[in-house]
Amino acid sequence: MSTTDTTVWAIRTEALRRTFRDKSQVKKKKGAKNGDGANGANAGNGAAEKAKPQDFVALDGVSLEVGEGELFGLLGPNGAGKTTLIKILATLMYPTSGRAWVCGYDVQERPGQVKKLINMVSGGEHSGYGSLTVRETLWMFSQFYGLDSREALRRIDELMEIIGFKDQANTKISKLSTGMRQKMNFIRGFVSDPRVLFLDEPTLGLDVGVSRTIRAFVRDWVKARPDRTVLLTTHYMAEADEMCDRVAIIDSGRVLACDSPANLKRSLGRDSAIELELAGGQVSEGGLTAIRGVRRASVTTEPASGKSEATLIIEEDGAVQPLLGYVADCGAQVLAFRKKEVTLEDVFLSIVGRKLDENGNANGNH
Ligand SMILES: Nc1ncnc2c1ncn2[C@@H]1O[C@H](COP(=O)(O)OP(=O)(O)OP(=O)(O)O)[C@@H](O)[C@H]1O
Ligand SMILES: [Mg+2]
């Protein structure tokens, strides 16, 4: 969707900040104060006492607006602050400062109103009681939301059918595999038919087929009614690209870019992306970015085989010749050279300076 002056915001945050106390430092200080064995008397004036607990900044002034009807993605590496942001919006955590609204309600002042309109699913969560079946568990959750019992069972059966989970309807929770449990949790998110649904890594650890079904289902669900909104987090680039109307790239608690996947890719302008497969040699990110025309570089090496993969964002084709010269000087053999269509992965590398791998780790030079 394109946002306009008349857009109704389903989610809005203003300079949202959340810090956490660094527990390791707090402990050190406590230990020093109380006396710590034979050295306790001296420790009070020692280095541990001076070490002031540093607050760890998980969210660093996040201002976002998500329109009603949007499927909006938060894309970022492990520790970027995605779950923290979702927890604040879902009224599970307070911000340290700043404000947030869901469907116009302030999450701190009107948490009860917000709760009525939302639902949240986290990949890998462990909800439910082992001795209940899948269908019983989902029904139980529906009753927490005050749904009519028969209507709830109708919805549950329909959702299980769509997600391909019908055969497990009468399986006890304790017998579910991790992936099956995730499917059940996913269905739980939709049973209450929320206005705003938060999906925290919905396809984490699921196989390709199930992930595809889930992505398609979420898209269809949000587009079926104009007042449904989804905020999802992911570190899968392709997922964000394929599903989301708009994406916010978030790193170290800050939003670095926010736009549609197409516009984000266009923002690279005339830059292009190159992938190199290399054998042997010592190609470094620093060495690559020192080449004129190379803007960003990320190198991952497989220690066992000595093979490396380099992804580069180049500003001009003139960089290719010196690039190949540098690789040869490093003693590396070029196994494959690809100039490719720009993807969200390249946008991430270009903006954040690091490449995001499939586990959510960001590697590369700043
Ligand atoms: N309860 C907490 N106490 C202390 N630090 C926390 C707490 N919750 C989160 N953090 C820290 O805040 C930062 C952001 O965490 P968060 O879980 O929001 O990241 P994320 O983007 O969801 O990462 P992931 O992709 O791994 O799920 C991390 O460095 C994390 O260690
Ligand atoms: Mg998370």
Side-chain angles (χ1 to χ4, degrees):
M1 72 172 263
S2 62
T3 52
T4 64
D5 286 348
T6 55
T7 302
V8 178
W9 301 118
I11 298 166
R12 214 155 73 74
T13 74
E14 207 175 82
L16 214 52
R17 188 176 162 84
R18 171 72 206 204
T19 58
F20 292 106
R21 194 41 63 88
D22 183 337
K23 288 193 182 125
S24 61
Q25 301 239 21
V26 176
K27 257 191 208 149
K28 254 192 228 164
K29 196 169 178 187
K30 263 192 194 159
K33 260 192 181 164
N34 298 338
D36 193 8
N39 298 325
N42 297 331
N45 296 322
E49 175 67 9
K50 277 185 197 148
K52 270 201 152 184
Q54 287 282 316
D55 283 345
F56 179 84
V57 182
L59 289 180
D60 195 4
V62 169
S63 299
L64 273 180
E65 285 166 336
V66 179
E68 190 171 67
E70 262 195 298
L71 205 174
F72 191 95
L74 293 172
L75 178 67
N78 295 141
K82 305 182 295 294
T83 300
T84 305
L85 178 54
I86 277 203
K87 279 188 177 164
I88 292 171
L89 293 169
T91 74
L92 300 174
M93 187 186 272
Y94 278 138
T96 308
S97 62
R99 290 181 76 187
W101 298 262
V102 172
C103 299
Y105 295 110
D106 186 307
V107 294
Q108 289 183 84
E109 288 170 9
R110 308 289 298 278
Q113 281 295 339
V114 172
K115 277 195 190 105
K116 278 186 202 156
L117 298 168
I118 63 166
N119 210 334
M120 174 176 171
V121 180
S122 306
E125 78 183 64
H126 293 277
S127 55
Y129 299 97
S131 57
L132 295 183
T133 67
V134 168
R135 196 163 183 263
E136 286 164 348
T137 304
L138 289 169
W139 176 82
M140 180 185 76
F141 278 112
S142 77
Q143 298 311 290
F144 294 163
Y145 282 92
L147 293 184
D148 171 73
S149 180
R150 275 177 48 185
E151 167 63 10
L153 285 174
R154 192 194 61 74
R155 273 191 212 171
I156 289 164
D157 291 340
E158 184 185 53
L159 287 163
M160 282 197 295
E161 172 93 50
I162 299 171
I163 303 297
F165 204 43
K166 231 173 75 183
D167 293 348
Q168 262 76 42
N170 297 314
T171 305
K172 289 210 164 113
I173 301 298
S174 56
K175 300 228 159 55
L176 293 179
S177 70
T178 313
M180 289 174 185
R181 192 178 274 270
Q182 198 157 328
K183 272 191 186 178
M184 183 193 75
N185 288 330
F186 180 76
I187 293 171
R188 180 184 59 69
F190 294 88
V191 168
S192 65
D193 199 14
R195 284 268 300 280
V196 178
L197 180 59
F198 299 106
L199 297 173
D200 195 5
E201 313 268 2
T203 61
L204 188 72
L206 293 178
D207 68 47
V208 178
V210 179
S211 300
R212 198 179 301 132
T213 308
I214 282 184
R215 285 175 194 156
F217 178 78
V218 173
R219 268 211 76 83
D220 290 348
W221 182 84
V222 77
K223 297 302 163 197
R225 277 212 339 237
D227 60 348
R228 286 177 173 164
T229 305
V230 169
L231 176 66
L232 73 85
T233 77
T234 185
H235 54 253
Y236 298 130
M237 297 284 177
E239 182 160 288
D241 199 349
E242 179 191 321
M243 291 179 80
C244 299
D245 299 313
R246 286 194 305 147
V247 170
I249 293 180
I250 170 166
D251 187 40
S252 304
R254 289 184 194 184
V255 175
L256 302 181
C258 177
D259 214 329
S260 66
N263 283 345
L264 285 171
K265 285 186 258 185
R266 237 173 265 140
S267 71
L268 283 186
R270 289 175 49 239
D271 292 0
S272 47
I274 285 177
E275 258 174 20
L276 281 174
E277 275 175 43
L278 305 167
Q282 293 276 321
V283 171
S284 74
E285 284 160 358
L288 288 167
T289 42
I291 299 165
R292 196 189 154 97
V294 175
R295 215 148 61 76
R296 298 286 196 191
S298 157
V299 180
T300 44
T301 305
E302 209 180 274
S305 64
K307 285 188 182 163
S308 313
E309 212 179 85
T311 308
L312 300 114
I313 307 293
I314 62 165
E315 290 163 340
E316 44 183 287
D317 286 349
V320 172
Q321 209 56 42
L323 169 66
L324 293 174
Y326 166 76
V327 169
D329 288 347
C330 292
Q333 191 193 344
V334 179
L335 301 177
F337 179 98
R338 283 185 291 272
K339 197 168 168 189
K340 57 184 191 97
E341 286 281 304
V342 167
T343 63
L344 266 196
E345 218 161 308
D346 305 315
V347 175
F348 190 88
L349 175 61
S350 172
I351 292 174
V352 180
R354 289 168 293 147
K355 195 175 164 180
L356 192 58
D357 71 19
E358 68 263 28
N359 297 317
N361 300 312
N363 316 297
N365 58 307
H366 262 288

